[in-house]
Amino acid sequence: MAGVVKAPGAFAITPHKVSVCILVNIYASPSQISVPFPFSSVSQHNRLGLYLLALTKSCDDILEPKLDQLINQLREVGGLLDHWLTDHVTSRLSSLSSPDDLFNFFNELRETLGGPDSGVMEDDQVILDPNSNLGMFLRRCILAFNLLTFEGICHLLTNIGIYCKEAISSCSSYELRRVDDSGNDLESLSEYENMDLNLVFKKINEEMEARKRATEQVSFHLHLPKELSTLVEDIEVFADPKSEHNDKGRESSSYASGELLRDVDPNGGVFLSTNWQIQGYLMEQADAIEKHGSSFTLNAFELTLRQLQKLAPELHRVHFLRYLNNLYHDDYFSALENLHRFFDYSAGTEGFDFVPPAGCNSFGRYEIALLCLGMMHFHFGHPKKALEVLTEAVRVAQQHSNDTCLAYTLAAICSLLSEIGFSTTSGILGSPFSPMISVGTSLSVQQQLFVLLKGSLKRAESLKLKQLVAANHLAMAKFDLTHVQRPLLSFGPKTSMKLRTCPIIVCKELRSGYHLISEFCCEGSTMTADGAFSTAWLKNLQKPMGSLVLSQDNGSRNNSNPFLFFTQPSSIPGSVMQLVGSSYLHRATAWEIYGSAPLARVNALVYATCFADASSSSDAALVHVKLIQHLAVFKGYKEAFAALKTAEEKFLCVSKSRILILKLQLLHERALHRGHLKLAQQVCDELGVLASSVTAVDMELKTEASLRHARTLLAAKQFSQAAAVAHSLFCMCYKFNLQVESATVLLLLAEIHMKSGNAVVGLPYALASLSYCQTFNLDLLRASATLTLAELWLSLGSNHAKTALTLLHGAFPMILGHGGLELCARAYITEAKCYLSDPSFSVSRNPELVLDPLRQAADELQALEHHELMAEAFYLMAIVFDKLGQPEQREEAASSFKNHVMSLDHPHDVEDPIQSDTLLNA
Amino acid sequence: MSSKESCRIELRTAIRQLSDRCLYSASKWAAEQLVGIEQDPAKFTPSNTRFQRGSSSIHRRFRTNEITSTPPTGVAYVSTPVMEEDEAIHGDFYLLAKSYFDCREYRRAAHVLRDQTGKKSVFLRCYSLYLAGEKRKEEEMIELEGPLGKSDAVNRELVSLERELATLCKNNTIDPFGLYLYGLVLKEKGNENLARKVLVESVNSYPWNWSAWSELQSLCTTVDILNGLNLSNHWMKEFFLASIYQELRMHNESLSKYENLQGMFTFSNYIQAQIAKARYSLREFEQVEVIFEDLLRNDPYRLEDMDTYSNVLYTKECFSALSYLAHRVIMTDKYRPESCCIIGNYYSLKGQHEKSVVYFRRALKLNKNYLSAWTLMGHEYVEMKNTPAAVDAYRRAVDINPRDYRAWYGLGQAYEMMGMPHYALHYFRKSVFFQPIDSRLWIAMAQCYESEQLHMLEEAIKCYKRAANCNDTEAIALHRLAILHRELDQPEEAAFYYKKDLERMEAEEREGPNIVEALMFLATHYKTQKKFEEAEVYCTRLLDYTGPERETAKSLLRGMRIAQSGFPSMDVEHFHP
């Protein structure tokens, strides 16, 4: 209960602690020799001591290990002594049969402790220092026992009884066997041990088959010879751990959430013993949910959580996990319900470790609840609601002077503003922001966003929240990438500003994101929780010293330990890796926009190779999308579709949409190139549907869908409609400040006018696009705009061919260096056309000047199956050959031309597997 | 409904059978109903009917609609034959076991019956074992409370009992009492569907066991489940339906059922208390108070449902009556959750919230799932400004019963207090969802919308409208509606609501600044509308009040007169457009 704080982790005495006490007693038995009786060497003695230290450190439990688990651990530690140790522990435990025995036992324990004046003791006597770890533990146990009521002692006694009985009943059968008939059966056992199990099974099967054949109507109660039946039993003994091992190996590799079920289950092999481990487990699962999104199994994990809640009803974090689980499975109502429940119970004080506990006031931190609620609305695509909630979060955080939360909230608002297109925030971003936006509300959304970003960054820096700083740098980079900085003041002295984006600033911001990783390398250790170390050590115990008799079994247990891989403290937390990874993604995107294909590819590749483990599935999918798009543009569709297939397998159900969108994009482009206009329109419509899904309108996708729609119309030669679509698209882009997209749309408009024969109308659009490109440093787009401009000039008449050619040659380095196949081919063809239409140019004198680019173009277009441009190239070639008087080659080119024109007119000859199966899917 | 006499005979037999099986609370209930049946005054001496006399006054006062004792048409009640005792000769062992049981030595009782095979003996043995396990469980629950609230105290007898009863059930050698116990065990084990089935079977073959009905009721959490039950039509079913309707917040249906039943069981205290509870949920406090007073006169040591009475007294701020009640219950039995709750209410009314929390806490210790104590404790924490604790208490109430609108409302209030109106809205929404007829909830929600942080006046108006439609006793909604419309510059609507508010205040003969405000607005409004006659009426009324408004009214009147006489052209313009 939040109001009345219970004594945190009241130390209760349990059977497990009693057995630890027994062990401590053995370790420090009051004898006169330095190495007490059962131990043969000092190192053996020390080893037990270390083990006990680890045990006592991990004693704040939810679930404690059972006796048999303790015995198994003892076997690892005790080495030769394990018999003696386990026997001693069990016999001592079972000798406790009445309350009085317990009293005596704890009295004995007291003798192990040295008095406060332990200075007078002899040197070689083993006496526990009461202030040492073990001594403290003993004292706590004794104190807890003394505080027990008589009823409590009775419970302890019954629990000890159960504890021993369970150990005996659930103790693996080999244990019993070893105790019972260790003498005679051991040899035969080890014999079977080395035998190939499959072989034995096969033999049995064969024998059964043979018997079946011999007696036709054999009953099911096959009377196996006794030997054989015992054989089967023996095999089961060995087969069991092995199958379990396989089982676990598979599950742990696939982040199975079912793990805990077995872990909580008292009969399971591995147990979640400590509070730390439970918390760690939950944290791990939270990461997994966030990473894998909807592929995480909803119901299995829900079951686990329910069980956990039953065991520990006051462990409220379970509700949070449930919220996350529901969130990523798009269950709005349960998510909302669980979020509220979690914060009602925990008052925001549980589970948020990033908040320094020092500044914690007694009134709960409900602002965190608001922050989470805001993010939830954001996730579900209710930006307006999210903004309202986050506004309230800002206000409450300010009121409670929770600066950390404030910084996070501001960052959340920034990402909300930058990701979802608001045309206006007036009325939403109200009074609470006034200290930050002192300039007033006359600013545009973008300017407000900029101010918020700056403020958030400053705040994060002053609070030394490194991850947030890095995230803010990334957001800043993103902002700088697509926005021109304008002076915020509309009056007063203005410094002269270049009205263009600055790639250097973007780079700087991205780079400052990297610093994060180096800082975490130095202080990474403080991030992992204390308890993790002792448990990691406990796990590693099993590694080095296995007893020889059951080595096979040990091996399997080591591998099957699902905790091994995450209890080892890694120096860099996953979230940091994710951040650093996403800075690479940002880089790739930045280069994509700036038009450097190789650099974009390199960065995407770095991400895919180095951060694949840490990345969330949607990010990983994004990188794949980028790489495949690159392939499509530079290598043609065949390779792209092959890659797409592997990607589809990899992200089978995970974030399907992103891969699906890519597939649609590729299909659309290919359909356009091949001239399958109907198909193109269909795919385009599908994209449009995806853009406004149930969750939210994806502005980016929406823009793209209508851009593609305009392109399809253009290809169908419906110029006025295409122009109308493009125009309304431009209006939308302008409204939502999508300036990079505006450049593309303008270019498209120019193209539409050029194709419709209105080159004069097209020119201003091309020029406007060019100026946009210049402002935002979109070099590749600029080159392609220049190309369009050249084409426009060319279509104005042959006397402009020189101008066109100059323009084209200016753009050539960029196009050839970074442009895709289509762009290069277009440039080549245009070059050839320029030459051809230039009256001062004579073909016969310099045929290669024309033929060479045409051949290049034809080659490159081959991969794209771009029939229209190919036809054009071959047509030009035929003309050139005709002029050169080479009829054979002319005929060849002409027939190619004819082929391409034919296939453009009859697009449905080619059967395409991928295309048909998408349509089925869709 | 079957005749009174047959009912009486059935109940008498049932009481004997139930108490013979140590099902005491069921037999208590049955006996209460038995005495509640109206006696034929001719046959009995006054001493017999003394118990019933006292309650007649209330019936005269409140039975406006005379209830006929004929059942609704088309319903034929099955007459379930009274069960024959299977063991004619009570074994001596049974007698011993029963005495042990009566002395609460359950294990001893079970031990005595270990070899008996009669159905009755088997039942008593199983029942004693069950109770022994329950007793131990309760003790252990207190003894073993872990740091994270983990308490693995279970009734250790459940497993073996389930096994035994399942076998009996399979062999068809189980009587309705055994079925009841089986249902109980199954419910405890979490097998609700089977439990429901078994309990239905039990009540169908032996309907007079009220405990079985109550268990069944606790398993029916929705109307759909209730409709899915296959219950035969015995008159006991009416009691069940009335009770479950109340639980499902179908108060009017419940009330009509109870009033119907009262035709037969005229003097049943139980029915009277249930009616009081239903009326309490319908917020008819005056009547509830009368009913409870009457009830206490007849049955002064009654503790059941007295917490509801204390709630009424609390709302009506009857200090002395509440203290008297608290004194009385503490003399009767201080360790009953109801008693603690009443004392808690008393301290709360006195403004001693810390003490109040102590008593609510005690009530919760006695019954962890005592819903209203959680909610009331939440209220106390709110008063003490310990919002996190309040939130926690409310949340626990909500998790026990998600339909508890008071707790949702409390959660909303707590968050509003912390300056998180948007967050609070979620809870208010929940609260009005479960209780759409309570104006206070709508007003709270409207105030949330109105708060300066949100300032969503349109939504606030919608909420106030809902509040005004559901009998807003404190008359906040109309006034606020008028003010909001005025603020939003919608004078027509504002005038409409001011007028309504004014009418209401006149009807209730209320005085206060609101009247002046309304009059003032209406006068100026009609003046600007050039409806001078109406304006004059309001102005003259304003003259009755002292203060600056009076002067304003005077000048308004003067101005109007000048306008009417001095500029007749305007009048023409106005009246003959």
Side-chain angles (χ1 to χ4, degrees), chain A residues 155 340 344-345 392 395, chain B residues 143 395 399 415 422 427 453:
Chain A
H155 278 297
H340 278 283
D344 286 347
Y345 275 132
E392 188 160 293
R395 197 179 49 238
Chain B
E143 289 166 17
R395 177 41 94 169
D399 278 350
Y415 281 110
H422 198 280
Y427 296 100
Q453 293 102 328

Side-chain angles (χ1 to χ4, degrees), chain B residues 21-86:
Chain B
R21 282 171 181 77
C22 303
L23 291 165
Y24 292 121
S25 60
S27 86
K28 175 179 99 177
W29 187 89
E32 266 189 310
Q33 311 316 316
L34 173 65
V35 179
I37 301 177
E38 194 170 29
Q39 308 268 358
D40 189 357
K43 279 197 215 159
F44 291 92
T45 56
S47 68
N48 282 39
T49 53
R50 189 191 53 206
F51 181 67
Q52 300 174 343
R53 277 280 162 76
S55 50
S56 55
S57 63
I58 174 173
H59 293 297
R60 253 173 248 123
R61 275 174 67 185
F62 281 109
R63 282 173 72 188
T64 43
N65 50 340
E66 198 51 49
I67 294 136
T68 53
S69 56
T70 48
T73 49
V75 179
Y77 289 101
V78 294
S79 61
T80 313
V82 173
M83 217 179 49
E84 291 298 318
E85 292 293 342
D86 55 355

